[in-house]
Amino acid sequence: MKARKDRQTPAFATMLSANDFASASWELMIRVDHPDQADQKDVTLTVSGDLHVGGVMLKLVEKIKIAQDWSDFALWWEQKRCWLLKTHWTLDKCGVQADAKLVFTPQHKMLRLRLPNVKTVRLRVSFSAVVFRAVSDICKALNIRRPEELSLLKPSSDYFKKKKKKDKNNKEPLIEDILNLENSPTISGPPVSPGLYSKTMTPTYDPVNGTPVSATMTWFSDSPLTEQNCNILAFSQPPQSPEALADMYQSRSLVDKTKLNAGWLDSSRSLMEQGIQEDEQLLLRFKYYTFFDLNPKYDAVRINQLYEQARWAIVLEEIDCTEEEMLIFAALQYHISKLSSSAEIQDFTSESEVDEVEAALSNLEVTLEGGKADNTLEDITDIPKLADNLKLFRPKKLILKAFKQYWFVFKDTSITYFKNKELEEGEPVEKLNLRGCEVVPDVNVAGRKFGIKLLIPVADGMNEVYLRCDHENQYAQWMAACILASKGKTMADSSYQPEVLNILSFLRMKNRNSTSSVASGPENMDMNPECFVSPRCARKHKSKQLAARIMEAHQNVAQMSLVEAKLRFIQAWQSLPEFGLTYYLVRFKGSKKDDILGVSYNRLIRIDAATGVPITTWRFANMKQWNVNWEIRQVAIEFDQNVSIAFSCLSADCKVVHEYIGGYIFLSTRSKGQNETLDEDLFHKLTGGQE
């Protein structure tokens, strides 16, 4: 015991008696990081271990003798990489001794953020607050609601190099793209400031074209987010040239996609603690794919940035889609680009016009939210059911894909099928429980193919079942029922009918009208079709042929307003099989090879790294607990029915994956009834781990 006490006692204290120890003093050198002076200077103070941090800063300011507001300054401990923000703690309690390297530096520093629309904003951000709170302040300054859905991503080292390469002949490649919000009052204000979202200061927008209404423009006049700046954030930018698209980073394989998600910052630590430097460039991105309470009246910036993130994911092939879907996305992009550059939409509209379009957009909001629907009481005495003839195929052996017709009944969250309708009251051929299954569309509208692929989890993997419908209406009803059942909901849920309508809407957008002639007017001739599709898709078609096909698809969306077209684009993005999946390369405990782990808003998927085929799905709803063994950096998860898994992360730190899982569970607790104040403690409890 005596040896342990000796180790903990500073060397200089051995020369002093116990009575003298409390009054002992020593020299502490602090570097002052003054932004207005070119050279940092070191200041030496005489302190004692019982002096609190606030007292140290007071003595320091008195010795500097510069009259200014020092309230934003704090002490940063370089060796320990931590802030000394608890000013009532003594130096002894903090563990600070004479060899500590402390820096007196501003807590708010400049940061450059590349937004989803590829514009860069430069603004003052807290380097001492945890990233979760810093992102919240950033979103307040940019007028983006629901900041919990976004985070900061530090891209790979070659990300910005590729962007600069294409600008090598440009004299000013970066300056013209930077939106400077250095004097934003929202960022420099205290964390408890209500910002843009107090009940009396919520900016509103025209839901037709996304422009701020007159009252909001009056508010913007006192903000760095002026009319021009607001348009930069809320309006789509002109499409990039085909050369610029080809020059941008493009992931090629599932393993490559795992590298895109390695750089998410830890939400429970500050920027400074994670080595982020002043004026460094980071990406601000939607991290969690649960877009709650999207409202065109308040979310023009949020909807536009979401659309831009979806657009880049499509054209850079970060998410897979069919050629037919690519043309629909291209037609919507062309339509949005045309409306965004049109002079008519720049006229600010009166607030009386706002309410007229909200009802027309309400159906879109249901599917775009991604969170919990309103708590509507289901009619438990009469849950709807579907019954019809469908075709089924179940791959078992090396045989040709032959579909066989059965009589299907869909009730609750299960499908039962019989040899024919007359046998419905008897024993079924099989009953399929769809709760927790994967539902994948298998559709080719031009080829009149309306299929549903079901991946149903079982003890040793996934059962694969294909259903084939006869026409659009039948497909929309059964597909919507399958999607809801996979989430544990029945057709009595209020979101069923909107889901059916949205599926039909998307099918009609895909429906090519081959009999109609596409006008070869000036707008068609001036279009550069390669700007709206992926480089790989552009190489497969001649330019005129591609333009004609895009204009053909455009006829189905030509009557949409600007905001509606963006919401339709987001909705179509959400309908893709890979939507919302974030990939990581992992090694499961007991396995001899690497696998891909897909993390979604409601499930984890184990995917074969070589083939891309899903092996097993685990739903968050069945999760009992999860934790991290920090010594071996391994994530362990327990599910119902004594199912447990463990894996180590190879493409990112295990904390990144752990935070993703906890973050999605945190977002699932949101409801429209609660206000927009987030339970930050709950977020950190679910995502922080016990490191």
Side-chain angles (χ1 to χ4, degrees):
M1 285 296 288
K2 191 171 186 301
R4 286 181 61 186
K5 285 184 178 179
D6 290 344
R7 280 202 304 272
Q8 292 177 342
T9 303
F12 63 80
T14 56
M15 299 181 291
L16 304 168
S17 67
N19 294 330
D20 293 332
F21 181 77
S23 59
S25 60
W26 37 277
E27 289 188 342
L28 178 65
M29 185 178 291
I30 301 174
R31 192 167 76 248
V32 178
D33 180 16
H34 201 292
D36 296 333
Q37 297 181 356
D39 298 326
Q40 298 177 337
K41 67 174 184 177
D42 294 332
V43 176
T44 302
L45 299 178
T46 301
V47 299
S48 60
D50 59 354
L51 181 64
H52 53 76
V53 172
V56 174
M57 292 194 292
L58 184 61
K59 291 184 72 169
L60 183 63
V61 169
E62 289 173 348
K63 191 162 185 177
I64 295 173
K65 295 181 180 178
I66 298 178
Q68 69 164 64
D69 182 2
W70 295 96
S71 61
D72 189 46
F73 279 66
L75 291 173
W76 166 256
W77 190 351
E78 283 193 340
Q79 296 108 313
K80 295 288 183 73
R81 302 195 64 78
C82 69
W83 290 92
L84 302 181
L85 298 177
K86 295 181 178 178
T87 54
H88 60 286
W89 279 25
T90 64
L91 294 180
D92 279 345
K93 188 170 183 178
C94 294
V96 174
Q97 296 183 0
D99 60 348
K101 293 182 179 178
L102 302 183
V103 183
F104 193 50
T105 184
Q107 297 175 65
H108 290 81
K109 303 175 187 291
M110 298 307 297
L111 192 67
R112 287 177 296 143
L113 297 175
R114 179 73 62 90
L115 303 181
N117 68 343
V118 200
K119 284 292 179 182
T120 299
V121 296
R122 188 170 182 267
L123 71 177
R124 196 170 297 279
V125 177
S126 173
F127 273 58
S128 62
V130 295
V131 165
F132 183 86
R133 202 174 309 144
V135 170
S136 180
D137 287 343
I138 290 167
C139 289
K140 282 180 183 177
L142 302 181
N143 195 17
I144 299 175
R145 293 197 312 150
R146 303 294 177 184
E148 66 274 14
E149 296 169 359
L150 298 92
S151 192
L152 299 176
L153 180 68
K154 186 173 183 177
S156 57
S157 56
D158 62 340
Y159 181 88
F160 291 114
K161 291 179 184 176
K162 300 235 174 182
K163 303 291 183 299
K164 291 176 183 177
K165 185 180 176 182
K166 72 177 192 296
D167 293 326
K168 61 185 178 182
N169 297 322
N170 194 338
K171 293 181 180 179
E172 293 182 312
L174 292 175
I175 295 174
E176 60 186 21
D177 282 335
I178 292 182
L179 172 61
N180 200 328
L181 300 179
E182 180 175 357
N183 297 321
S184 172
T186 345
I187 290 297
S188 59
V192 295
S193 168
L196 302 187
Y197 303 114
S198 66
K199 296 298 180 185
T200 58
M201 291 178 60
T202 303
T204 56
Y205 301 85
D206 185 333
V208 177
N209 55 41
T211 56
V213 298
S214 53
T216 291
M217 284 318 303
T218 303
W219 181 87
F220 276 142
S221 63
D222 296 325
S223 163
L225 218 57
T226 60
E227 176 181 329
Q228 179 184 0
N229 293 344
C230 177
N231 287 349
I232 290 174
L233 300 180
F235 280 83
S236 176
Q237 300 302 305
Q240 294 275 356
S241 68
E243 294 76 23
L245 280 179
D247 209 34
M248 296 177 86
Y249 176 75
Q250 200 169 345
S251 55
R252 303 287 179 184
S253 67
L254 208 54
V255 174
D256 288 329
K257 291 177 183 179
T258 66
K259 300 172 185 175
L260 297 173
N261 303 299
W264 289 109
L265 297 189
D266 186 340
S267 297
S268 301
R269 298 165 63 210
S270 69
L271 292 170
M272 200 91 154
E273 288 170 324
Q274 298 180 70
I276 304 302
Q277 303 295 317
E278 183 170 8
D279 220 29
E280 189 170 337
Q281 189 160 16
L282 300 175
L283 308 182
L284 179 68
R285 291 291 183 269
F286 289 88
K287 177 179 180 180
Y288 299 103
Y289 295 89
T290 52
F291 315 127
F292 188 69
D293 188 26
L294 270 180
N295 189 330
K297 188 174 181 179
Y298 305 113
D299 289 326
V301 176
R302 182 179 171 211
I303 288 170
N304 184 61
Q305 296 299 328
L306 200 49
Y307 157 72
E308 290 283 353
Q309 184 162 327
R311 183 170 76 88
W312 284 109
I314 297 293
V315 297
L316 295 183
E317 296 185 349
E318 292 174 5
I319 184 171
D320 292 335
C321 66
T322 64
E323 186 173 299
E324 187 178 47
E325 290 163 340
M326 180 71 75
L327 291 171
I328 290 297
F329 286 122
L332 283 166
Q333 286 181 72
Y334 170 67
H335 185 62
I336 291 165
S337 176
K338 193 169 70 165
L339 290 180
S340 298
S341 60
S342 170
E344 289 81 19
I345 66 166
Q346 303 300 333
D347 296 327
F348 298 124
T349 56
S350 66
E351 292 190 45
S352 61
E353 298 173 0
V354 171
D355 297 329
E356 297 176 8
V357 194
E358 288 186 7
L361 294 172
S362 61
N363 282 346
L364 277 174
E365 291 181 43
V366 175
T367 54
L368 293 172
E369 283 171 8
K372 289 185 176 180
D374 288 341
N375 294 326
T376 307
L377 288 175
E378 295 186 358
D379 184 356
I380 58 175
T381 61
D382 185 25
I383 292 178
K385 77 172 186 177
L386 292 173
D388 211 340
N389 283 311
L390 302 178
K391 296 183 178 69
L392 176 139
F393 168 71
R394 181 191 287 278
K396 290 183 178 178
K397 300 177 183 177
L398 296 174
I399 57 174
L400 295 174
K401 188 182 270 192
F403 283 87
K404 188 175 180 181
Q405 183 167 292
Y406 294 95
W407 178 257
F408 283 79
V409 176
F410 200 129
K411 183 121 185 193
D412 294 324
T413 58
S414 300
I415 291 178
T416 52
Y417 62 94
F418 309 83
K419 286 189 175 180
N420 53 54
K421 182 178 181 180
E422 288 69 28
L423 298 175
E424 182 179 338
E425 301 302 324
E427 194 69 24
V429 177
E430 189 179 14
K431 182 175 182 178
L432 306 173
N433 183 8
L434 302 192
R435 190 185 289 264
C437 77
E438 297 294 312
V439 184
V440 182
D442 184 22
V443 175
N444 185 326
V445 177
R448 308 303 297 166
K449 171 186 170 186
F450 303 101
I452 303 171
K453 179 181 176 183
L454 301 173
L455 296 169
I456 303 170
V458 291
D460 57 346
M462 308 277 277
N463 276 343
E464 196 171 344
V465 177
Y466 290 82
L467 303 181
R468 182 68 60 83
C469 301
D470 293 330
H471 50 79
E472 292 100 326
N473 289 333
Q474 187 186 54
Y475 168 79
Q477 291 176 332
W478 286 79
M479 184 66 175
C482 289
I483 291 171
L484 263 65
S486 71
K487 302 174 183 176
K489 298 179 180 180
T490 72
M491 286 176 282
D493 191 89
S494 61
S495 61
Y496 174 66
Q497 285 301 329
E499 186 71 43
V500 172
L501 293 174
N502 285 316
I503 292 170
L504 283 171
S505 172
F506 191 38
L507 290 176
R508 285 168 190 147
M509 284 196 294
K510 287 184 175 183
N511 191 15
R512 293 169 55 198
N513 189 354
S514 56
T515 59
S516 62
S517 58
V518 179
S520 57
E523 63 177 18
N524 188 16
M525 302 302 293
D526 292 344
M527 192 219 308
N528 190 347
E530 291 83 4
C531 297
F532 303 110
V533 297
S534 69
R536 187 164 58 92
C537 180
R539 287 193 295 268
K540 291 169 64 177
H541 303 280
K542 293 181 179 178
S543 185
K544 285 186 178 180
Q545 178 192 22
L546 193 59
R549 293 187 67 182
I550 292 174
M551 290 305 297
E552 194 176 346
H554 178 251
Q555 293 178 30
N556 294 321
V557 302
Q559 302 307 313
M560 292 182 183
S561 69
L562 179 58
V563 174
E564 184 185 0
K566 289 179 182 178
L567 289 172
R568 288 290 179 189
F569 192 101
I570 297 167
Q571 178 196 346
W573 176 45
Q574 288 178 304
S575 72
L576 297 177
E578 281 190 21
F579 168 78
L581 281 173
T582 306
Y583 300 104
Y584 291 98
L585 191 66
V586 301
R587 173 72 64 88
F588 278 88
K589 186 177 181 180
S591 176
K592 295 183 178 179
K593 65 184 184 70
D594 299 340
D595 286 309
I596 303 289
L597 181 73
V599 183
S600 182
Y601 76 96
N602 61 353
R603 67 202 187 281
L604 299 174
I605 308 174
R606 182 177 182 176
I607 303 169
D608 188 294
T611 65
V613 175
I615 300 171
T616 315
T617 295
W618 302 279
R619 310 292 290 196
F620 290 159
N622 300 327
M623 187 186 296
K624 293 169 68 176
Q625 67 172 11
W626 75 101
N627 56 65
V628 179
N629 184 330
W630 295 108
E631 291 184 4
I632 57 176
R633 316 299 287 183
Q634 186 179 78
V635 180
I637 308 175
E638 289 184 27
F639 297 91
D640 292 339
Q641 299 178 337
N642 296 320
V643 175
S644 61
I645 61 172
F647 55 85
S648 53
C649 306
L650 307 178
S651 61
D653 190 272
C654 63
K655 174 64 169 67
V656 177
V657 181
H658 180 274
E659 184 174 308
Y660 244 118
I661 296 170
Y664 272 126
I665 292 173
F666 170 76
L667 295 183
S668 71
T669 65
R670 297 181 296 181
S671 67
K672 278 191 173 181
Q674 62 186 187
N675 59 28
E676 293 186 19
T677 304
L678 292 169
D679 188 345
E680 188 178 334
D681 290 338
L682 178 61
F683 175 84
H684 293 304
K685 184 177 179 181
L686 290 170
T687 62
Q690 303 298 323
E691 190 170 8

